[in-house]
Amino acid sequence: MIKERDYLWDNIKALLICLVVTGHCIEVSAVHHSLTRAVNYWIYSFHMPAFIFVSGFWAKSYCKNGRVRAEKLATLICYYTAFQILFSVLKLIFNIKTSSISFFSPARGLWYLLAMIFFYLLVPLAERLPSYIVLPALITLGVLIGKDRSPSNYLALLRIFNFAPYFFMGYYLSTDTVNKLRSLKGRLRYPLGAALVVLSSAIWIVQRNTFSREIFFGKLTYHKIHLGLLEGAGLRLQTYLIAAIMIAALLLVMPSKKTIFSFVGKNSLQIFILHMALVIILFDSKLVHTEINSNPEFAVAVFAGAALTIILALPVFTYPFRAISRFSEKLCKLKK
């Protein structure tokens, strides 16, 4: 009997990947148009934390009773290797600030794959430790790592430590807890979810002169974005709170039945990686340089992001990922 997919998570990922792609479509003009800037801030405040949270929730099957599924880790490593080479070659072709192919400085969004590899390596340890030890320790580390003044992108360590709490929030969250949260009646669940969205947004809106979009990136030190340790640490803690509230809102309001967009969530990884290749070709190379200066232009950019998301979710773009996955599985079998 084939186990039915849990469409709640596909629907959440569908929304998140659409926001990721749309965020990059409007990112180039976030400083020129007030509505674009506000939406861009809102997207960055939770989209990657929520993505990593979902990945953590589904990581429970990676390690059970002390045994790990090496195929999953091997596939992530193969994905990272293949697309790091591709992205580096694209940068060389389009003459984008790079001199060689380096596996230690992830190109564009590939830091996400590197982070997943790191988190999966920690899962066996997390399985043996309670959440009340792991989560406070990771949050503390995520706050303090911003004190480092090194500008290096080496192994995306700054981002990895900043986003680690979200992965393990998802890992420790039980299905029973999710079901209890969603068992609230609709007349309570949806207003509560909407209220959480407003609360999450309000935290940074009322401090918009203090917050910078870069604090949500997770890749820059406090010094780099002109913040002192106390101010930076305070804002970092608030980013954790903002994202956690939005994650709770998504769990409350997203439909759990199959929708016409569920296939987008199912194929979210291919969309994430392939749209990054387009970002390198079109935006990083300055091949396309547009400014959003009006609401109609903003609407066109949002539509373009949504359309691109759906196009990249098509089955034809799945084949390279299946091929890499099959290759990694063969490698694992050879080692056995």
Side-chain angles (χ1 to χ4, degrees):
M1 182 177 179
I2 299 175
K3 186 178 179 181
E4 186 178 354
R5 289 186 68 86
D6 191 336
Y7 290 109
L8 167 66
W9 302 97
D10 281 341
N11 294 330
I12 289 176
K13 289 191 293 180
L15 173 63
L16 292 174
I17 194 60
C18 186
L19 291 176
V20 169
V21 178
T22 301
H24 282 117
C25 286
I26 66 177
E27 181 181 6
V28 290
S29 294
V31 297
H32 300 294
H33 184 240
S34 59
L35 177 60
T36 302
R37 183 168 58 252
V39 171
N40 198 249
Y41 268 57
W42 180 72
I43 289 173
Y44 273 91
S45 71
F46 72 93
H47 70 335
M48 287 312 298
F51 243 125
I52 291 171
F53 168 86
V54 173
S55 299
F57 182 85
W58 286 106
K60 297 178 181 65
S61 62
Y62 172 69
C63 181
K64 285 189 175 181
N65 302 319
R67 300 186 65 181
V68 299
R69 291 175 55 205
E71 295 85 356
K72 178 66 176 179
L73 185 61
T75 299
L76 287 171
I77 293 172
C78 288
Y79 281 160
Y80 178 76
T81 303
F83 289 104
Q84 179 70 0
I85 293 173
L86 174 62
F87 287 11
S88 298
V89 169
L90 287 175
K91 285 189 171 187
L92 288 170
I93 291 173
F94 290 96
N95 195 27
I96 304 170
K97 288 185 180 180
T98 186
S99 57
S100 61
I101 296 174
S102 171
F103 290 98
F104 302 105
S105 296
R108 264 297 177 174
L110 296 185
W111 68 267
Y112 170 78
L113 292 179
L114 203 56
M116 288 302 107
I117 293 168
F118 181 83
F119 298 152
Y120 271 99
L121 289 173
L122 289 180
V123 164
L125 177 62
E127 189 185 45
R128 295 174 173 83
L129 296 174
S131 60
Y132 61 79
I133 291 178
V134 174
L135 291 179
L138 289 175
I139 291 171
T140 301
L141 186 59
V143 169
L144 294 179
I145 197 71
K147 183 179 181 295
D148 181 17
R149 294 196 173 195
S150 171
S152 173
N153 187 39
Y154 184 76
L155 292 176
L157 289 177
L158 199 61
R159 263 181 163 161
I160 288 173
F161 286 120
N162 278 327
F163 285 101
Y166 302 117
F167 182 90
F168 289 97
M169 280 171 53
Y171 179 79
Y172 285 115
L173 182 70
S174 68
T175 302
D176 287 342
T177 301
V178 175
N179 291 337
K180 287 178 182 178
L181 188 64
R182 292 186 57 83
S183 67
L184 296 172
K185 292 183 178 180
R187 63 175 178 269
L188 177 60
R189 183 156 57 91
Y190 294 112
L192 178 57
L196 290 178
V197 172
V198 172
L199 175 60
S200 174
S201 304
I203 294 174
W204 64 263
I205 288 175
V206 297
Q207 301 180 94
R208 57 185 177 275
N209 294 327
T210 303
F211 267 104
S212 65
R213 189 179 53 154
E214 288 79 7
I215 192 71
F216 296 117
F217 291 173
K219 67 178 181 179
L220 300 175
T221 65
Y222 302 145
H223 174 74
K224 192 72 174 179
I225 52 180
H226 311 294
L227 296 173
L229 175 59
L230 292 179
E231 186 180 24
L235 290 180
R236 174 60 61 203
L237 285 171
Q238 289 182 64
T239 64
Y240 288 144
L241 178 61
I242 289 167
I245 293 172
M246 277 299 299
I247 289 168
L250 291 173
L251 291 175
L252 282 168
V253 304
M254 292 301 291
S256 57
K257 295 181 179 180
K258 186 177 182 179
T259 69
I260 59 174
F261 299 110
S262 296
F263 81 101
V264 172
K266 180 182 177 182
N267 296 325
S268 59
L269 183 60
Q270 74 186 49
I271 300 168
F272 181 82
I273 293 177
L274 294 177
H275 101 277
M276 287 295 180
L278 292 177
V279 168
I280 292 173
I281 295 170
L282 298 177
F283 297 130
D284 290 354
S285 68
K286 308 297 183 183
L287 198 63
V288 173
H289 184 70
T290 59
E291 291 186 1
I292 298 173
N293 296 303
S294 67
N295 291 346
E297 290 174 345
F298 169 76
V300 170
V302 171
F303 176 80
L308 181 59
T309 301
I310 294 172
I311 291 170
L312 293 179
L314 295 175
V316 65
F317 296 108
T318 305
Y319 293 120
F321 294 85
R322 287 180 179 173
I324 294 172
S325 180
R326 286 194 295 267
F327 175 76
S328 67
E329 289 174 1
K330 289 180 181 179
L331 284 179
C332 289
K333 288 179 181 178
L334 287 175
K335 289 184 178 181
K336 290 179 181 180

